[in-house]
């Protein structure tokens, strides 16, 4: 049996003090990593992979040109709610405020405010017209414009002999030409006083489209059942006429003033309104193509169709919905037009606007005129982008104002100078 031997320790007897080695691993900790960061797969069927796919898509859109942005944003076609500016739904204005994150402010912005005598005065004498002149417009010019308005009304309602219109086509055949002639004549008359109109473009029966996302839902059935998807909306509008300009209109109020505005909160699904889903091309269009220099909106003119005329609404005992219909029409039309203008400048849901966009609208049935002003402060309307976003869009609007009483024996009875002055003020708005 071999005897056990004690092995000597291999450590030297004189060891350096351990305090000199307390930072031995510092250099290794500071060194940079050699391997790339671990990120979720782009092809896996997982929530993390889906999040990365969305992030990569957002980066791709941000790095694209405006034309490519519009193509990428509208590329995927899913079922979407079609929002009709002129709708039969009751109390549609509250729903539309929620869909567009818009607060309604009764009246007009301060730059358009007139005294009650100016707004409601129906005295046709020249002295009353001279008491409240529009800034930049003399009494002689106002008298000429007043004569123009009278001539346009008489041309369609007195001098022309038209046959009886088809069913539900009277507004289109009788009042439509009046509104187009009024927009054309006023624009031509005020060119010398508003140089911005000299380079403007007047569109007749243009098409305006806007597509956006607001809210989300869980898909109830189908092969995508249980997934969370955004709620999509589309507006397809066709005003009677509209004026586009080359410079942007100034803001009505600072963007920060919208932080305290209140927007109605609707917790019900949009199909309760009711709205209906359709699947077709997603469109964003201001009425002109992208390279057009007149890319900013000035004023739209809308015509109330026979179906929603106040006389028919009164017969159906729905007079309380007349002003609601006008507000919903002004809100949806101006939001679509102004939002499309902002997207033509490169802004979208994940790149919010850096300056307000402004547009105006006039809605009429021939005798009663309503005036609306819209200021777009945000396009971040989806659930992800709207987090901690205090901005809200703003809509100003008036009640219906009567332009004239009737046409008798070749004369316009009860012409309201206040409405004419508001029309002039709208068209005189400039940077």
């Amino acid at each position: 049996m071999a005897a056990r031997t004690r092995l000597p320790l291999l450590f030297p007897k004189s060891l350096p003090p351990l305090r000199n080695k307390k930072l031995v691993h510092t250099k290794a900790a500071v060194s940079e990593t050699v391997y790339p960061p671990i990120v979720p797969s782009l092809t896996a069927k997982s929530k993390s992979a889906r999040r990365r796919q969305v992030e990569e898509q957002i980066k791709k859109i941000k790095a694209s040109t405006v034309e490519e942005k519009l193509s990428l944003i509208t590329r995927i076609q899913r079922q979407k709610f079609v929002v009709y500016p002129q709708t039969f739904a009751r109390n549609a204005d509250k729903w539309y405020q929620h869909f567009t994150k818009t607060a309604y402010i009764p009246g007009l912005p301060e730059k358009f405010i007139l005294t009650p005598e100016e707004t409601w005065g129906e005295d046709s004498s020249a002295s009353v017209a001279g008491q409240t002149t529009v800034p930049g417009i003399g009494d002689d010019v106002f008298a000429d414009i007043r004569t123009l308005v009278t001539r346009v009304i008489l041309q369609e309602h007195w001098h022309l002999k038209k046959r009886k219109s088809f069913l539900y086509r009277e507004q289109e055949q009788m009042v439509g030409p009046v509104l187009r002639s009024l927009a054309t004549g006023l624009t031509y008359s005020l060119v010398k006083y508003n140089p911005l109109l000299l380079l403007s473009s007047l569109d007749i029966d243009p098409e305006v489209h806007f597509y956006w996302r607001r809210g989300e839902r869980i898909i109830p059935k189908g092969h995508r059942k249980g997934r969370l998807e955004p709620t999509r909306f589309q507006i397809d509008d066709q005003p009677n006429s509209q004026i586009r300009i080359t410079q942007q209109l100034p803001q009505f109020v600072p963007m920060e003033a919208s932080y305290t505005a209140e927007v109605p909160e609707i917790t019900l699904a949009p199909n309760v309104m009711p709205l209906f889903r359709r699947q077709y091309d997603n469109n964003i269009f201001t009425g002109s193509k992208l390279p057009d220099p007149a890319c900013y909106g000035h004023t739209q003119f809308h015509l109330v169709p026979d179906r929603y005329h106040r006389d028919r609404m009164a017969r159906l005992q729905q007079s309380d919905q007349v002003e609601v219909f006008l507000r919903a029409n002004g809100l949806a039309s101006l939001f679509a037009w102004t939002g499309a203008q902002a997207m033509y400048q490169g802004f979208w849901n994940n790149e919010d606007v850096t300056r307000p966009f402004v547009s105006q609208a006039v809605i009429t049935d021939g005798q009663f005129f309503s005036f609306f002003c819209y200021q777009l402060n945000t396009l971040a309307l989806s659930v992800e982008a709207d987090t901690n976003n205090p901005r809200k869009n703003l809509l100003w609007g008036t009640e219906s104002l009567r332009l004239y009483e009737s046409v008798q024996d070749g004369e316009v009875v009860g012409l309201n100078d206040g409405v004419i002055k508001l029309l002039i003020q709208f068209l005189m708005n400039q940077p």
Side-chain angles (χ1 to χ4, degrees):
M1 181 175 177
R4 289 187 299 175
T5 59
R6 184 183 298 271
L7 296 175
L9 292 177
L10 301 179
F11 296 103
K13 294 182 179 181
S14 60
L15 291 174
L18 293 176
R19 63 177 179 271
N20 294 342
K21 297 293 184 180
K22 63 181 179 179
L23 299 177
V24 171
H25 301 288
T26 302
K27 185 176 180 181
V30 175
S31 62
E32 297 181 358
T33 57
V34 180
Y35 301 100
I38 300 175
V39 295
S41 170
L42 278 174
T43 57
K45 294 182 179 180
S46 63
K47 293 182 180 179
S48 58
R50 179 57 187 163
R51 282 195 298 268
R52 190 187 169 200
Q53 292 170 8
V54 173
E55 292 172 359
E56 294 293 332
Q57 179 70 5
I58 291 175
K59 292 179 182 177
K60 182 179 179 181
I61 296 176
K62 287 182 177 180
S64 304
T65 62
V66 176
E67 187 174 359
E68 293 172 346
K69 278 183 181 179
L70 296 178
S71 176
L72 291 171
I73 291 171
T74 60
R75 182 187 57 171
I76 299 179
Q77 296 182 21
R78 302 279 188 193
Q79 283 198 335
K80 56 195 175 183
F81 288 105
V82 181
V83 178
Y84 295 96
Q86 297 178 333
T87 177
F88 63 87
R90 295 181 61 85
N91 302 319
D93 58 337
K94 302 295 183 184
W95 290 83
Y96 286 3
Q97 284 181 252
H98 171 69
F99 297 154
T100 61
K101 197 179 180 182
T102 301
Y104 175 71
I105 303 174
L108 291 177
E110 293 183 0
K111 65 188 306 181
F112 298 121
I113 288 180
L114 299 176
T115 61
E117 291 78 10
E118 294 173 38
T119 305
W120 295 97
E122 297 182 0
D123 190 348
S124 60
S125 64
S127 60
V128 174
Q131 291 174 5
T132 55
T133 57
V134 179
I137 300 296
D139 296 344
D140 296 338
V141 178
F142 180 80
D144 294 339
I145 294 176
R146 193 174 187 277
T147 304
L148 168 68
V149 174
T150 305
R151 186 170 64 250
V152 168
I153 295 173
L154 292 177
Q155 174 68 17
E156 298 295 332
H157 289 86
W158 185 257
H159 297 304
L160 290 182
K161 302 299 181 182
K162 296 186 177 182
R163 67 179 184 180
K164 186 177 180 180
S165 60
F166 295 105
L167 187 64
Y168 289 109
R169 298 288 295 275
E170 183 177 355
Q171 288 290 99
E172 180 183 338
Q173 295 182 18
M174 297 293 293
V175 184
V178 174
L179 190 56
R180 279 190 289 270
S181 300
L182 198 61
T184 305
L186 288 175
T187 304
Y188 178 77
S189 301
L190 296 174
V191 162
K192 63 178 68 175
Y193 305 101
N194 186 356
L196 195 60
L197 297 177
L198 190 61
L199 301 175
S200 65
S201 177
L202 178 63
D203 304 329
I204 303 298
D205 292 331
E207 292 185 357
V208 176
H209 307 282
F210 190 65
Y211 166 79
W212 78 103
R213 299 181 302 169
R214 174 76 166 162
E216 58 186 8
R217 67 158 191 156
I218 297 177
I219 301 175
K221 60 182 180 180
H223 71 283
R224 300 171 63 233
K225 178 181 178 181
R227 297 185 186 179
L228 201 64
E229 74 161 0
T231 306
R232 300 170 174 88
F233 296 91
Q234 174 80 50
I235 292 179
D236 300 314
D237 192 23
Q238 188 171 16
N240 180 272
S241 58
Q242 67 182 16
I243 302 173
R244 290 180 290 107
I245 52 179
T246 56
Q247 298 180 34
Q248 188 176 346
L249 290 177
Q251 62 182 10
F252 295 124
V253 294
M255 192 179 292
E256 293 75 15
S258 67
Y259 292 177
T260 57
E262 296 184 1
V263 177
E265 186 70 24
I266 305 294
T267 57
L268 301 175
N271 53 6
V272 179
M273 181 182 165
L275 284 183
F276 304 97
R277 280 194 181 91
R278 292 181 59 193
Q279 183 171 348
Y280 58 95
D281 288 346
N282 304 322
N283 295 317
I284 298 174
F285 191 62
T286 63
S288 66
K289 293 187 177 180
L290 198 60
D292 196 320
C295 55
Y296 297 105
H298 192 282
T299 305
Q300 278 187 339
F301 296 89
H302 292 266
L303 180 65
V304 178
D306 293 76
R307 183 179 179 183
Y308 305 108
H309 195 278
R310 63 181 60 241
D311 294 341
R312 184 173 185 273
M313 300 286 276
R315 291 196 300 269
L316 296 175
Q317 298 181 357
Q318 296 184 8
S319 298
D320 60 320
Q321 295 296 307
V322 172
E323 298 298 332
V324 172
F325 166 82
L326 294 172
R327 282 196 296 271
N329 189 358
L331 192 156
S333 298
L334 285 178
F335 171 76
W337 197 33
T338 316
Q341 296 167 36
M343 296 197 74
Y344 270 33
Q345 302 302 313
F347 302 106
W348 61 295
N349 183 65
N350 290 88
E351 288 180 294
D352 207 0
V353 296
T354 56
R355 62 185 187 274
F357 286 77
V358 168
S359 297
Q360 305 169 150
V362 178
I363 305 177
T364 179
D365 59 4
Q367 276 190 307
F368 290 87
F369 282 69
S370 300
F371 298 85
F372 294 95
C373 299
Y374 196 87
Q375 179 169 312
L376 184 82
N377 294 320
T378 180
L379 279 176
L381 300 178
S382 66
V383 174
E384 301 83 5
D386 197 24
T387 306
N388 299 325
N389 179 22
R391 300 184 189 176
K392 301 176 184 67
N393 301 319
L394 300 176
L395 174 75
W396 291 265
T398 66
E399 300 290 328
S400 298
L401 307 176
R402 185 188 287 270
L403 177 61
Y404 65 95
E405 295 289 342
S406 61
V407 177
Q408 298 177 2
D409 301 328
E411 293 184 358
V412 179
V413 179
L415 189 61
N416 188 349
D417 291 341
V419 177
I420 301 176
K421 287 169 185 173
L422 273 178
L423 284 170
I424 296 174
Q425 279 189 304
F426 263 45
L427 295 180
M428 286 292 291
N429 191 11
Q430 58 183 311

